[in-house]
Amino acid sequence: MAAEAAAKTAAKTAAKTAIHRLSGMQKQVLSLYRGFLRAARSKPQQDRFRIESIVASEFRRNALQVDRKNFLYIEYLLRRGRKQLDQLKSPDTTGLSSVDPSSRTDH
Amino acid sequence: MAMKAAVLRHVRLPASAAASRTLGLASPASGRWGGVFGSVFRSLSSHGDDHLSKDEVVDRVLSVIKSFPKVDPSSVTLDVHFQKDLGLDSLDNVEIVMALEEEFKLEIPDLEADKIDSTRLAIEYIYNHPMAG
């Protein structure tokens, strides 16, 4: 059963800036990312690949779009991401799908 | 002495780190014997033939990083920083460390994983890890 993967949390580091120490929030983001990748390992290979692609692109999309100082929103994304990760860890879940808000049509 | 010889006869295995690690677990009374076998085996391997050589660690670490899709293999050297030199981001860093986990059959805790951000640190960590395989 697919779990919805909405927007995830932002990764704070830009590739070119020097990273000396990770902030607490950055660590949480990376920890969540790692959690998703670990959970994906336990899924069948095809599902694993798909999960990894979706998670990778969601995290990077947020890294670009979310202001790194928008702590409230980032914390919200972290909370939501953790819930989704819990769902993903269930053996019944074999994949994620992501919804692109811009592709919604309004009735 | 007789015990040691008897154990030695049983302990001759083909050079396989995986086999040596599972030896203690195979026996039914693994709690007690696992400990004995484990400690006997460790004390007998005086040349560390049950862990990887530095060269092997270096080769395999570099090869994992070179095969990472976003990396230019020609820029991967012994002391290159994933983000500063290879232009990766912190998410890529997470992916690289996980790829190294799979290569060496390890699970690296978050605290340590967050620190591994260069080939040098990756090599050092893995080489010093008793369970690297």
Side-chain angles (χ1 to χ4, degrees):
Chain A
M1 202 177 226
E4 293 283 289
K8 299 291 187 310
T9 48
K12 304 304 162 305
T13 42
K16 306 294 184 246
T17 59
I19 315 306
H20 298 296
R21 220 170 283 165
L22 296 170
S23 72
M25 189 162 268
Q26 282 175 307
K27 283 189 194 170
Q28 288 181 67
V29 171
L30 298 178
S31 176
L32 183 62
Y33 189 63
R34 196 177 284 120
F36 272 104
L37 297 185
R38 287 203 197 288
R41 272 177 182 166
S42 62
K43 304 295 178 191
Q45 200 185 28
Q46 241 181 332
D47 297 322
R48 175 183 175 177
F49 183 70
R50 212 167 147 256
I51 292 166
E52 287 177 350
S53 307
I54 289 175
V55 170
S57 66
E58 294 272 1
F59 271 75
R60 281 181 175 80
R61 188 163 61 86
N62 282 305
L64 291 174
Q65 292 179 354
V66 178
D67 188 308
R68 67 177 61 191
K69 294 199 204 84
N70 193 345
F71 303 129
L72 280 178
Y73 187 57
I74 294 167
E75 295 206 357
Y76 159 72
L77 291 172
L78 277 168
R79 274 197 306 276
R80 194 158 62 158
R82 284 174 189 138
K83 282 192 205 141
Q84 287 160 343
L85 177 54
D86 278 343
Q87 286 178 317
L88 183 63
K89 282 179 187 168
S90 146
D92 303 326
T93 306
T94 57
L96 310 167
S97 61
S98 71
V99 177
D100 179 1
S102 63
S103 67
R104 246 185 0 215
T105 51
D106 286 278
H107 298 288
Chain B
M1 279 303 132
M3 160 81 159
K4 181 175 170 182
V7 168
L8 268 177
R9 274 199 291 277
H10 284 94
V11 156
R12 282 281 176 257
L13 291 172
S16 160
S20 69
R21 276 197 291 277
T22 55
L23 175 64
L25 299 173
S27 122
S30 64
R32 191 150 178 262
W33 280 102
V36 172
F37 265 74
S39 61
V40 165
F41 198 80
R42 274 194 294 279
S43 63
L44 294 175
S45 62
S46 54
H47 296 290
D49 53 349
D50 61 341
H51 75 245
L52 307 172
S53 72
K54 190 72 178 280
D55 281 344
E56 187 180 348
V57 172
V58 169
D59 278 346
R60 287 165 64 189
V61 168
L62 294 186
S63 125
V64 164
I65 292 158
K66 286 179 189 179
S67 30
F68 195 71
K70 298 177 202 175
V71 166
D72 168 14
S74 61
S75 49
V76 178
T77 62
L78 283 177
D79 192 3
V80 74
H81 194 280
F82 301 149
Q83 294 172 55
K84 291 186 231 179
D85 302 322
L86 298 180
L88 302 174
D89 66 21
S90 57
L91 296 175
D92 296 319
N93 208 127
V94 170
E95 290 177 38
I96 284 186
V97 174
M98 290 196 56
L100 290 170
E101 282 186 340
E102 285 175 49
E103 172 67 23
F104 291 96
K105 303 181 187 44
L106 297 173
E107 180 138 330
I108 303 176
D110 281 17
L111 193 63
E112 301 299 325
D114 283 345
K115 294 182 201 158
I116 298 173
D117 60 2
S118 68
T119 46
R120 186 179 57 80
L121 289 175
I123 290 165
E124 223 173 86
Y125 180 86
I126 291 164
Y127 181 60
N128 289 317
H129 200 300
M131 298 291 291

